Each structure stands twice: as structure tokens, then as C-alpha cells.
Amino acid sequence: MKKLTVSRYAKTLMIFMSVCIHCSQIGAQDFQRCFGTPLDNAFTKVIRDGTFYYVLGQEETTNGSEPVATVTRLDINGNFQWTIRATIPSVFNDAVRLANGDLVLVGHTLPFDDNAKSLMGQVTSQFGGNFIWLRTYDEPGRDGFIRIVWNPIPENHSSICMYSVPRHNREARRRPMMSC
């Protein structure tokens, strides 16, 4: 009985080690070849939309520049469909999918200092992806939207959590909604 347990343990350990070795060989080049550029790229959230995915991220437009927020659409197999970019240094922290398939996004401008502003927008997947609108909102000092929550009942009500320094998190209300 002990030989069987040791044998299972050894087999499990070998499988685990082979997976770890394989994963350690997958590096920036594989990601870069598939989804990125030689510059800094990152993603923060993935949202499923039927047989597609929205990927919130950010990318450096030139070496050393502040990144701009991006929204990318991939099909169910991970094949690239399109990417749209904000025109100002920024990051999207969260998003909710609306019933029509659009996204409402929240985030903040960069750098995240006393001049940072909250950022909110709506993206449609029609015609290769477009911002329907993208706006900044400013409170005195450093601020940014960190979370948005969709409340399907009643329809079209949402809640946005706002982060403001040195103040604490607080809720910015669009209509009657659930709390963050």
C-alpha cells in the first residue's frame, strides 16, 4: 500500500513539474506575438459577451510614454477582432455589459497623482468597435472610478464606486442603485 501511495505521489509530482517547466517557457514573446507589441501592454479584466470577449487593458504608445486605456474584442477562440484606444493616458478599472452588448467602462487618467481625473465611457461593438462617448470627471485632488455594478432590476440602474484621495471610497450615483 505504501509503494502505491509513493508511486502516485511521484507521478503527480512529475506531472506538476512538467507543467511548471512548460509554463515557465511561455514568456513575453508568446504573449507579444499573439496580442501585444514590443512596448508595455497589460490587461485588467475580461468580460464575456456571448461567443466573444471584451478585454480591458492598457498599452504604451511609444517607449516610455504613459499607457492609454484599451478595449479589445476577441472571439471565443481568442482570435483578435479589434482594439480601440483612449486618446489620453489612462486605465480602465472595470466595466459592465449592457443588455444590447455595449460596455460601460470606468477608470481614471494617468499619472495617478493630484491631477488625475475619473474616466467613464461607453463602447459599442458595432462597426469594428467605437466609443459612443468617453468623458473625464474631476473632483479636487486625486480621484478615479474603480468599480461599476450593474443592477438589472430595475433595468438601466447602475452604481459606480469612486475613489478619492485623501477621502475614502464613496459611491457616485447615476440613478437609484445598489451599493458598492
Side-chain angles (χ1 to χ4, degrees):
M1 208 41 117
K2 281 189 174 185
K3 267 188 169 177
L4 186 59
T5 304
V6 171
S7 175
R8 281 186 183 162
Y9 172 75
K11 186 176 180 180
T12 303
L13 182 61
M14 288 182 68
I15 291 170
F16 176 74
M17 287 175 48
S18 67
V19 168
C20 288
I21 289 169
H22 174 69
C23 288
S24 68
Q25 293 171 351
I26 298 174
Q29 290 298 326
D30 292 333
F31 175 81
Q32 185 175 333
R33 186 182 72 239
C34 294
F35 300 108
T37 69
L39 303 173
D40 286 339
N41 296 274
F43 66 91
T44 54
K45 186 167 187 163
V46 177
I47 300 166
R48 188 164 184 173
D49 179 25
T51 59
F52 294 91
Y53 293 99
Y54 287 111
V55 181
L56 306 184
Q58 60 186 28
E59 67 181 20
E60 207 178 33
T61 55
T62 59
N63 193 19
S65 67
E66 289 281 348
V68 294
T70 61
V71 179
T72 299
R73 189 165 168 97
L74 305 174
D75 70 14
I76 196 77
N77 297 314
N79 296 314
F80 175 82
Q81 302 294 305
W82 49 259
T83 294
I84 57 174
R85 294 159 187 81
T87 58
I88 56 175
S90 53
V91 62
F92 291 129
N93 296 318
D94 200 10
V96 292
R97 184 185 167 280
L98 303 177
N100 66 358
D102 289 356
L103 284 183
V104 175
L105 311 148
V106 295
H108 58 81
T109 61
L110 295 173
F112 195 51
D113 58 15
D114 285 344
N115 297 316
K117 299 177 181 178
S118 299
L119 183 66
M120 183 188 298
Q122 185 173 345
V123 169
T124 181
S125 63
Q126 295 178 5
F127 312 113
N130 290 295
F131 286 107
I132 294 173
W133 54 270
L134 184 62
R135 297 185 185 107
T136 59
Y137 302 88
D138 196 18
E139 294 260 327
R142 180 183 342 195
D143 66 276
F145 294 132
I146 56 172
R147 187 163 180 235
I148 183 167
V149 179
W150 181 253
N151 180 6
I153 304 172
E155 189 66 30
N156 295 328
H157 290 210
S158 60
S159 178
I160 302 163
C161 290
M162 179 181 217
Y163 179 78
S164 184
V165 175
R167 298 180 199 109
H168 299 289
N169 287 351
R170 64 185 175 93
E171 184 177 347
R173 294 182 176 233
R174 180 174 154 231
R175 292 187 185 163
M177 351 164 211
M178 33 193 275
S179 64
C180 298

